[in-house]
């Protein structure tokens, strides 16, 4: 079986068991499940909550006013405790972790988005487990994602994941609130998210985290539109991570609406207008059109327009006809310096590099 990229989001209620303390016994069990999938060839990303809860625990549960500064202080203390805990637990299985702390600003600014994506890909390529959390120590209301459910959806898009697992203290989405309605039935699969379904989404059961079922529904909607399968399930089920990765019907599943590649290519065509043109030689035309290759700097003969890294451009053949559009990995000035050169010269010419291609074939749409 081909390895999947799987994002596992762990809510505060899962990591604390509904108490004020991190449940390290349960955390190591979840790590064991993730490590098993990692050994099987899957790429695992952990989105972790509970930084503030860990900070409170480490400081002895101080009585503090609920100000932004106090929350940021608790997050700053708790984040170090949390990452040390994850590192020590994954180390049991010989695995390394790498921490990524993000804010909404990192995901909305195209340049910062691409840098975050490259960092995430580098960790995965080196078989390191990315551990992602919101950067609550510096985030303000203006730049916060706000909850780790939606952060995990964006992390899944960033990683072009196959599956997003949202683990919580509930079995999934029900036809009514199961806490006060014994006739509530688990909804096993959702094809359409509408207002009726949104009304079924309740709040946080434990009161410890920032996300409830409503934010999970939002996250599921965002991720599935980008081609990611999503499942909401309880973190207390034995072997839940492996069972969900294997496709077992546990919790509530939201099938992807499109593959990630289709979704991204639709965005390239329907998104912002191209910001410039890249004129290529006949060799590049054959490589791109006939072989499905990426566009290399070697095949570029002229660069027109002013565009930044991550913006869409036209690819033009020697006859002046647009043959493709794509998302460029280098800005116009960088391309001017590396055009016509072999890929192994990029870092020498620029002093840095964002990869060996000008436009990757997955970011390129043939016209």
């Amino acid at each position: 079986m081909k390895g999947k990229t799987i994002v596992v989001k762990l809510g505060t209620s899962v990591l604390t068991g509904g108490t004020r303390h991190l449940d390290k016994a349960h955390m190591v069990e979840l790590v064991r499940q993730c490590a098993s999938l990692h050994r099987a060839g899957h790429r695992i990303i952990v989105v972790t909550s509970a930084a503030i809860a860990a900070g409170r625990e480490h400081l002895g549960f101080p009585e503090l006013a609920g100000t932004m500064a106090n929350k940021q202080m608790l997050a700053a203390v708790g984040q170090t405790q949390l990452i040390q805990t994850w590192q020590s637990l994954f180390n049991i299985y010989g695995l390394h972790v790498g921490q990524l702390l993000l804010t909404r600003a990192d995901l909305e600014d195209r340049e910062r988005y691409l840098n975050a994506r490259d960092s995430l890909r580098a960790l995965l390529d080196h078989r390191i487990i990315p551990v992602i959390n919101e950067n609550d120590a510096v985030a303000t209301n203006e730049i916060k994602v706000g909850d780790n459910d939606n952060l995990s959806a964006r992390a899944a898009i960033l990683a072009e994941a196959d599956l997003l697992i949202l683990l919580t203290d509930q079995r999934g989405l029900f036809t009514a609130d199961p806490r006060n309605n014994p006739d509530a039935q688990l909804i096993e699969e959702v094809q359409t998210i509408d207002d009726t379904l949104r009304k079924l989404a309740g709040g946080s059961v434990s009161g410890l985290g920032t996300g409830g079922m409503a934010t999970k529904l939002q996250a599921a909607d965002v991720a599935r539109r980008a081609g990611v399968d999503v499942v909401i399930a309880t973190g207390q089920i034995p072997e839940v991570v492996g069972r969900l990765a294997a496709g077992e019907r546990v919790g509530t599943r939201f099938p992807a609406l499109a593959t990630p590649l289709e979704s991204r290519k639709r965005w390239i065509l329907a998104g912002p207008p191209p910001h410039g043109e890249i004129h290529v030689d006949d060799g590049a035309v054959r490589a791109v059109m006939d072989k499905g290759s990426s566009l290399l700097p070697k095949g570029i003969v002229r660069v027109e327009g002013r565009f930044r890294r991550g913006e869409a451009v036209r690819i033009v053949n020697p006859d002046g006809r647009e043959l493709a559009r794509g998302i460029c990995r280098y800005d116009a000035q960088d391309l001017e310096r590396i055009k016509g050169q072999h890929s192994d010269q990029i870092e020498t010419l620029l002093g840095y590099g964002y990869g060996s291609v000008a436009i990757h074939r997955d970011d390129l749409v043939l016209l």
Side-chain angles (χ1 to χ4, degrees):
M1 180 176 63
K2 180 184 177 183
K4 298 178 181 177
T5 299
I6 301 170
V7 178
V8 182
K9 186 268 175 178
L10 302 168
T12 299
S13 60
V14 174
L15 298 178
T16 62
T19 71
R20 296 199 301 171
H21 302 267
L22 291 179
D23 185 353
K24 294 181 182 177
H26 188 50
M27 289 174 72
V28 75
E29 169 58 20
L30 292 169
V31 166
R32 183 192 62 78
Q33 296 177 41
C34 290
S36 178
L37 288 175
H38 188 272
R39 285 195 301 271
H42 300 295
R43 294 147 65 95
I44 305 299
I45 299 165
V46 173
V47 177
T48 179
S49 298
I52 291 176
R56 285 199 180 99
E57 179 180 358
H58 185 70
L59 295 178
F61 305 103
E63 294 292 333
L64 299 170
T67 64
M68 175 65 74
N70 283 338
K71 291 179 180 178
Q72 290 175 325
M73 179 272 291
L74 290 171
V77 173
Q79 201 63 254
T80 61
Q81 300 302 309
L82 200 56
I83 195 63
Q84 287 177 21
T85 300
W86 286 122
Q87 177 63 79
S88 64
L89 296 181
F90 275 104
N91 191 54
I92 295 172
Y93 299 95
L95 298 176
H96 296 290
V97 304
Q99 185 179 48
L100 284 179
L101 298 177
L102 302 173
T103 66
R104 192 176 71 205
D106 296 314
L107 302 174
E108 291 184 349
D109 179 85
R110 187 62 183 170
E111 183 81 13
R112 291 164 71 173
Y113 174 92
L114 291 172
N115 289 335
R117 185 189 68 177
D118 289 348
S119 296
L120 183 58
R121 285 181 174 178
L123 289 169
L124 293 172
D125 289 344
H126 288 86
R127 303 294 288 162
I128 296 169
I129 307 290
V131 177
I132 299 175
N133 198 356
E134 181 146 22
N135 196 356
D136 290 320
V138 299
T140 61
N141 288 332
E142 288 75 21
I143 62 171
K144 284 177 68 69
V145 176
D147 64 86
N148 278 355
D149 295 318
N150 279 291
L151 179 64
S152 68
R154 284 157 177 79
I157 296 170
L158 204 65
E160 298 173 15
D162 301 286
L163 175 64
L164 168 61
I165 298 173
L166 300 171
L167 293 185
T168 183
D169 49 13
Q170 290 289 292
R171 288 172 50 207
L173 187 64
F174 284 78
T175 55
D177 190 338
R179 293 168 288 179
N180 51 40
N181 188 336
D183 296 325
Q185 299 292 315
L186 177 69
I187 302 173
E188 294 189 353
E189 186 168 301
V190 172
Q191 295 289 342
T192 303
I193 296 178
D194 53 21
D195 289 341
T196 301
L197 199 65
R198 292 186 182 95
K199 290 178 181 178
L200 297 177
S204 174
V205 175
S206 67
L208 295 169
T210 56
M213 197 58 70
T215 62
K216 290 170 181 57
L217 203 60
Q218 292 170 3
D221 200 20
V222 169
R224 74 191 187 114
R225 289 178 185 277
V228 183
D229 288 321
V230 184
V231 183
I232 301 173
T234 174
Q236 301 299 324
I237 298 175
E239 304 293 340
V240 62
V241 178
R243 291 165 66 181
L244 291 173
E248 189 172 329
R249 297 185 71 85
V250 176
T252 301
R253 183 172 290 269
F254 301 77
L257 298 185
T259 68
L261 187 60
E262 289 170 343
S263 177
R264 183 166 64 256
K265 291 194 173 184
R266 279 204 299 269
W267 178 85
I268 293 171
L269 287 176
H275 289 75
E277 293 184 353
I278 297 176
H279 292 253
V280 300
D281 61 22
D282 288 327
V285 172
R286 289 192 296 271
V288 169
M289 299 295 292
D290 300 336
K291 300 178 181 178
S293 301
S294 300
L295 176 63
L296 302 178
K298 179 67 176 175
I300 299 174
V301 296
R302 190 167 81 252
V303 178
E304 293 185 359
R306 298 175 63 183
F307 51 87
R308 297 186 303 167
R309 177 174 178 249
E311 290 185 328
V313 296
R314 297 183 180 90
I315 302 172
V316 180
N317 70 9
D319 296 328
R321 181 173 59 86
E322 181 181 3
L323 61 94
R325 290 186 187 179
I327 303 300
C328 200
R329 292 199 170 184
Y330 294 88
D331 64 28
Q333 288 184 319
D334 285 346
L335 280 186
E336 278 288 353
R337 296 169 64 187
I338 64 175
K339 68 181 181 183
Q341 303 296 321
H342 290 288
S343 296
D344 57 10
Q345 292 295 307
I346 291 176
E347 290 197 25
T348 301
L349 292 168
L350 299 181
Y352 53 86
Y354 298 120
S356 61
V357 303
I359 300 178
H360 193 277
R361 62 185 178 187
D362 288 347
D363 295 327
L364 189 150
V365 182
L366 300 180
L367 302 177

